[in-house]
Amino acid sequence: MIQFDHVTFRYENADEPALCDVSLRIEEGSFVAIVGHNGSGKSTLAKHINGLLLPSSGTVTVCGLQTNLEENILPIRQQVGMAFQNPDNQLVTTIVEEDVAFGPENLGIEPNEIRSRVDEALASVGMTNYAEKAVHHLSGGQKQRIAIAGILALKPRILVLDEATAMLDPSGRKELIDTVKSLHKTGMTVLMVTQYMEETTECDRIVVMNHGKVVCDDTPKAVFSEVELLAESNLVPPETVKVRNALRELGYSIPDSVLNAEQLAEAVCPLL
Amino acid sequence: MRDITLGQFVAGNSIVHKLDPRTKITIMLLYIVMTFLVKRIYFFAIPLAFLIMGLLLSRISLKYIGRSLKPIRFLLVFMFLLNLIFTGGETVLLDLGFWKLTLEAILQSFFMTIRIVLLVAGASMLTLTTSPIALTDGIEKLLTPLKVFHFPAHELAMMMTIALRFIPTLMDESEKIRNAQMARGADFESGNIFRRVKSMIPILIPLFVSSFRKADELATAMESRCYHGGEGRTRMHQLRFTKADLFALLISLAFIAVLIVLLVLFK
């Protein structure tokens, strides 16, 4: 569904390329986390998916369309919804439902169809009751859910979250992650760019980026076992994995499949 | 402070609230023409009657009109005095040697004051009964014919929409910066006016820089949501010109007609 072919990208005036010969394939319906510390190239990678950035060399193909062709940009952006970090800087209008309608309005869709899309999108993020509220009265988590609703109204097949949880408090973060998970269950392909490893335990796959390269691409189970590689990439594994690894060092045997608190509790109890 | 975006809009369900914003803007312009056509003080009765009619139909309380006049009270007093002092005339009521108070000057002072009060009260009727969003839509639609002359009607409306959206955000931001500067020992309260204006610089510059960053991020987000200018764009909320709108326009035109007839008859 998304295909990166030997993509290299260099920002203007930069010495090092931000992406360096990246090849990646993301299947339809998967839930993929892209992790890496600041400047690892993970956001640059995300911005290639909907053609906000175009590769200096190599190609990106989304749903069979190449991003470097001008006429493909609009269809690609309709397929790839992208949510950004700052909840305040991605809402365009004052009233919630007007903002959700912004995307479909850009596509020139009939007013009645927009109305039903807006209602549907607000319902699927659980914000129906806020339709006529002013956006500046909402919390950060609610604003991000509105941003997601605005994306859903475009009926995309892929949802990219570019550090969308970074500026939220823990409850807002949970709100957003729960929303995204439920969307994934309905068949949406989800790409989550983040530096919080806690958020990645339930993904199908984790892509670890460092210095513009993909250094590891595997299931959470496998990635969290690569203790040295994570440390090299300046990434902190989730607390549960840290506890698991510490216990292992003490000589207890705990399987790789232990990732979240529940699984850890189940694995630790018999040891007591 | 945070509600400033909604301007002075008072939500309501009256006939005036329900009128198409285009109609209200047009009526507003007709009303302005009306107040400027008046050449003698007693003819202000016509625009005044029109205003009162609007007020009654919209069920807007008089106190909101009073509130909109409050900021210009000093201007009104100043204008009144200026006209009183500098208008000449025949009918001298009081002679102080260096200055004469004339009947004409008193009439002229009242005339100018009433005109400004009527103008501001009428303008606030528009903003009191029309949400800023509807107002923006109305302006965009009314200016659309000017696109023939490459007038950027859509861009203008989009700028207004975004400005309305970001006023509360920037207010919050400036409050944060202010607190941050105060925590670093900045003093915003003491000193004369020049000192105090100068002390605003450490707030304005970071605010300016962050606005640019916001603009950049917003542009990226808008592009990601398929924004590509006004070309081929539709709207969810359609403006509808109803019978009520036609009726309202006809009434306004009737008022102007009556006024013109009166002006011609009593030259």
Side-chain angles (χ1 to χ4, degrees):
Chain A
M1 173 156 252
I2 303 171
Q3 176 96 43
F4 278 70
D5 257 324
H6 302 285
V7 173
T8 298
F9 178 78
R10 194 187 294 269
Y11 284 101
E12 258 176 71
N13 307 325
D15 300 332
E16 298 253 314
L19 288 182
C20 191
D21 195 29
V22 173
S23 291
L24 197 66
R25 200 185 148 78
I26 287 159
E27 308 298 333
E28 176 144 28
S30 53
F31 192 162
V32 181
I34 298 173
V35 298
H37 67 96
N38 287 334
S40 60
K42 59 186 190 303
S43 276
T44 310
L45 182 83
K47 289 198 173 81
H48 273 80
I49 300 173
N50 70 349
L52 284 173
L53 297 175
L54 297 173
S56 309
S57 71
T59 56
V60 180
T61 314
V62 179
C63 303
L65 301 165
Q66 271 194 23
T67 58
N68 50 7
L69 297 174
E70 181 70 34
E71 69 266 23
N72 284 347
I73 288 293
L74 222 53
I76 287 175
R77 286 187 183 157
Q78 192 267 310
Q79 296 293 332
V80 183
M82 196 174 282
F84 298 89
Q85 184 172 14
N86 192 327
D88 272 322
N89 300 355
Q90 51 184 320
L91 302 178
V92 187
T93 65
T94 310
I95 303 293
V96 167
E97 60 175 15
E98 300 249 347
D99 186 79
V100 177
F102 179 75
E105 285 177 346
N106 288 334
L107 292 180
I109 288 163
E110 287 301 306
N112 291 335
E113 166 75 7
I114 298 181
R115 181 77 254 176
S116 64
R117 280 189 181 203
V118 167
D119 293 341
E120 207 178 298
L122 282 172
S124 57
V125 297
M127 293 290 286
T128 304
N129 295 338
Y130 293 84
E132 285 174 16
K133 293 272 189 305
V135 292
H136 61 270
H137 290 308
L138 305 178
S139 72
Q142 288 172 328
K143 280 181 196 161
Q144 285 300 58
R145 274 152 69 194
I146 296 303
I148 303 260
I151 291 162
L152 293 180
L154 285 163
K155 297 201 185 282
R157 286 157 74 192
I158 304 164
L159 180 61
V160 180
L161 301 166
D162 188 358
E163 301 202 56
T165 57
M167 290 182 72
L168 302 181
D169 55 16
S171 70
R173 197 172 289 167
K174 190 175 175 308
E175 252 173 63
L176 187 65
I177 298 280
D178 288 347
T179 307
V180 171
K181 272 186 205 156
S182 71
L183 287 174
H184 175 240
K185 284 204 186 88
T186 65
M188 181 86 77
T189 309
V190 180
L191 246 87
M192 200 163 70
V193 175
T194 182
Q195 37 184 329
Y196 297 98
M197 301 297 276
E198 275 80 5
E199 292 167 0
T200 64
T201 53
E202 285 171 59
C203 293
D204 305 333
R205 180 173 156 199
I206 300 180
V207 176
V208 184
M209 302 275 303
N210 198 12
H211 297 301
K213 287 189 183 113
V214 174
V215 290
C216 184
D217 179 359
D218 217 326
T219 59
K221 201 170 107 179
V223 169
F224 290 130
S225 308
E226 304 266 0
V227 182
E228 274 168 41
L229 184 124
L230 288 179
E232 242 171 64
S233 310
N234 281 327
L235 290 169
V236 186
E239 291 301 321
T240 44
V241 174
K242 277 201 245 171
V243 171
R244 181 192 84 182
N245 292 347
L247 285 169
R248 274 186 187 168
E249 268 173 40
L250 293 171
Y252 296 102
S253 82
I254 297 177
D256 274 351
S257 59
V258 171
L259 293 175
N260 62 30
E262 247 171 61
Q263 294 162 342
L264 184 67
E266 268 170 38
V268 168
C269 280
L271 302 175
L272 297 175
Chain B
M1 272 302 250
R2 297 193 73 198
D3 278 322
I4 202 159
T5 34
L6 301 176
Q8 21 172 15
F9 174 57
V10 183
N13 227 349
S14 74
I15 312 167
V16 180
H17 282 87
K18 280 182 189 151
L19 284 179
D20 189 310
R22 289 171 295 184
T23 311
K24 281 189 269 188
I25 295 168
T26 313
I27 291 178
M28 170 71 204
L29 293 174
L30 289 175
Y31 172 82
I32 292 173
V33 170
M34 226 189 280
T35 45
F36 276 101
L37 278 177
V38 172
K39 291 285 176 281
R40 280 190 217 165
I41 199 161
Y42 38 85
F43 285 140
F44 276 129
I46 305 283
L48 183 67
F50 189 69
L51 183 70
I52 290 172
M53 187 185 73
L55 207 61
L56 290 176
L57 285 176
S58 65
R59 286 183 231 125
I60 291 277
S61 128
L62 207 58
K63 95 177 172 240
Y64 287 108
I65 300 285
R67 208 179 281 171
S68 64
L69 288 173
K70 212 175 149 196
I72 61 157
R73 59 192 188 279
F74 294 114
L75 181 77
L76 287 176
V77 172
F78 184 68
M79 286 267 310
F80 187 87
L81 290 177
L82 216 61
N83 276 295
L84 201 62
I85 294 167
F86 292 107
T87 312
E90 311 280 299
T91 336
V92 179
L93 297 177
L94 184 70
D95 196 339
L96 293 176
F98 61 94
W99 175 71
K100 296 184 187 75
L101 175 67
T102 65
L103 184 65
E104 285 80 2
I106 294 177
L107 280 177
Q108 176 69 9
S109 308
F110 275 109
F111 181 82
M112 292 309 283
T113 315
I114 292 172
R115 178 177 275 170
I116 292 179
V117 167
L118 282 178
L119 280 176
V120 173
S124 60
M125 276 295 293
L126 176 67
T127 49
L128 282 167
T129 59
T130 319
S131 76
I133 296 157
L135 211 52
T136 314
D137 278 356
I139 292 171
E140 176 173 8
K141 281 279 149 53
L142 281 177
L143 292 178
T144 303
L146 293 180
K147 271 188 183 163
V148 183
F149 308 109
H150 299 285
F151 184 82
H154 165 74
E155 286 76 3
L156 195 74
M158 186 50 82
M159 273 159 58
M160 283 174 65
T161 308
I162 292 171
L164 286 168
R165 155 74 186 80
F166 276 88
I167 289 168
T169 309
L170 289 175
M171 295 269 253
D172 276 358
E173 186 105 352
S174 65
E175 193 55 37
K176 269 185 211 156
I177 297 170
R178 194 184 143 90
N179 287 337
Q181 299 289 23
M182 267 161 54
R184 287 164 177 76
D187 178 11
F188 298 113
E189 260 99 43
S190 61
N192 60 27
I193 181 100
F194 294 106
R195 261 191 105 93
R196 281 188 8 210
V197 168
K198 217 178 150 192
S199 70
M200 295 305 279
I201 292 172
I203 297 181
L204 290 178
I205 290 179
L207 194 64
F208 210 62
V209 173
S210 99
S211 308
F212 273 102
R213 205 192 52 235
K214 278 181 195 300
D216 192 40
E217 284 181 20
L218 183 72
T220 310
M222 283 170 74
E223 268 186 52
S224 301
R225 285 164 73 185
C226 300
Y227 182 70
H228 55 283
E231 204 80 11
R233 203 172 128 81
T234 48
R235 300 305 308 270
M236 177 169 72
H237 290 299
Q238 296 288 313
L239 296 180
R240 276 197 191 82
F241 193 83
T242 61
K243 272 187 188 153
D245 291 296
L246 185 68
F247 199 59
L249 279 176
L250 287 177
I251 291 179
S252 321
L253 287 173
F255 266 85
I256 283 213
V258 169
L259 183 65
I260 292 174
V261 168
L262 286 176
L263 284 172
V264 172
L265 286 180
F266 300 90
K267 244 187 187 157

